[in-house]
Amino acid sequence: MIRENLKTVREKIKDACKESGRKEDEVTLIAVSKTKPVPMLMEAYECGCRDFGENKVQELVDKWEQMPKDIRWHMIGHLQRNKVKYIVDKVYMIHSVDSFRLAEEISREAGKKGVTVSILIEVNVAGEESKYGISCEEAAGLVEEIAALPNLVIKGLMTIAPYVENAEENRQYFEKLRQIYVDINRKNIDNVYMAELSMGMTGDYEAAVTEGATYVRVGTGIFGERFYAV
């Protein structure tokens, strides 16, 4: 199942790139593996997946310990400051930085471990109360504030679009995030390298790719429906 699902997702990304005049290698597929057991992740790994996304710190750490070390782990869920120390030397990128205090903690813990952490600033483009993320209006200011911190590098922006039946409804949010990204890039802020746009999930990643996503986060589309422990 996973092999077939991955083939389908990759084909759709390829088609979306072609439609928008982009190169296929401009988009990285993150296999969102939260709640999934290691054997399922290994099946995806054997099909060529090297980027995996986790929502919870403990789950990421457990899988990091069990799986091959060439995997790039992405922290895509809300990150509590008291758990930063467990992952700063294990993650390839943290997608969900939405406050100066969190960035400050990442900077502090990264300094202790002697690493530099790549981060994305999470923007709540749709303004949903149930979602984390900085507002569109505050994004540029937060980027400038965080950019002065040592031991981390801002690589771009991330958003979680609303759950919708029709993916086209989310295109407006992807367009908006890209515009914020372009505006921040023009400022040429030191220690800010606007290279990544993390947007698009199982239901809308094709629309996200056509609007400039460089990372798409696909879970259900690869692994099937999630099962949560009661």
Side-chain angles (χ1 to χ4, degrees), residues 159 161 174 198-206 208 213 215-218:
T159 197
F174 301 145
S198 173
M199 58 188 193
M201 296 162 69
T202 293
D204 55 19
Y205 64 87
E206 293 163 271
Y215 282 118
V216 291
R217 310 178 305 269
V218 180

Side-chain angles (χ1 to χ4, degrees), residues 9 13 54 63 68 94 96-97 104 120 141 184 187 194 207 209:
V9 171
I13 290 172
E54 289 289 335
K63 290 172 178 174
I94 298 173
S96 47
V97 178
E104 202 172 32
L120 303 181
I184 292 172
K187 293 176 181 285
M194 281 284 149
V209 168

Side-chain angles (χ1 to χ4, degrees), residues 8-190:
T8 299
V9 171
R10 285 167 174 158
E11 283 295 325
K12 287 182 176 179
I13 290 172
K14 183 179 178 180
D15 290 345
C17 285
K18 190 174 180 181
E19 179 191 330
S20 52
R22 301 180 66 196
K23 295 177 182 174
E24 199 178 341
D25 63 5
E26 291 176 24
V27 182
T28 299
L29 171 62
I30 297 175
V32 178
S33 47
K34 59 184 181 180
T35 78
K36 297 301 181 186
V38 167
M40 289 185 81
L41 274 67
M42 282 307 302
E43 191 176 339
Y45 178 88
E46 285 157 12
C47 294
C49 281
R50 291 297 179 271
D51 291 86
F52 288 84
E54 289 289 335
N55 271 45
K56 296 186 183 299
V57 167
Q58 188 58 56
E59 200 172 345
L60 188 153
V61 171
D62 289 346
K63 290 172 178 174
W64 180 88
E65 289 171 350
Q66 296 178 65
M67 294 189 67
K69 293 299 175 272
D70 62 336
I71 287 173
R72 294 179 290 262
W73 292 100
H74 298 259
M75 181 63 193
I76 60 175
H78 178 64
L79 180 58
Q80 294 171 300
R81 294 197 307 279
N82 64 349
K83 294 187 177 177
V84 167
K85 59 190 173 188
Y86 300 114
I87 63 164
V88 285
D89 56 347
K90 295 177 176 66
V91 290
Y92 178 75
M93 187 172 285
I94 298 173
H95 291 231
S96 47
V97 178
D98 62 356
S99 72
F100 182 76
R101 289 178 72 194
L102 175 58
E104 202 172 32
E105 189 64 24
I106 293 168
S107 172
R108 187 181 300 116
E109 291 297 337
K112 289 181 188 176
K113 297 274 178 73
V115 296
T116 299
V117 182
S118 296
I119 67 168
L120 303 181
I121 304 303
E122 182 175 0
V123 185
N124 187 348
V125 182
E128 291 184 284
E129 288 186 15
S130 61
K131 300 265 176 70
Y132 292 99
I134 196 80
S135 71
C136 295
E137 295 71 30
E138 296 171 301
L142 182 63
V143 167
E144 292 195 53
E145 196 178 7
I146 291 174
L149 293 169
N151 307 115
L152 54 76
V153 181
I154 299 172
K155 291 288 186 71
L157 306 176
M158 176 267 225
T159 197
I160 299 173
Y163 175 77
V164 291
E165 292 293 332
N166 178 8
E168 287 302 310
E169 293 175 29
N170 279 340
R171 191 176 290 276
Q172 60 181 312
Y173 304 121
F174 301 145
E175 287 177 337
K176 177 72 172 174
L177 190 71
R178 179 169 176 76
Q179 190 54 56
I180 296 168
Y181 166 95
V182 169
D183 292 345
I184 292 172
N185 208 21
R186 285 184 182 140
K187 293 176 181 285
N188 292 317
I189 305 164
D190 286 345

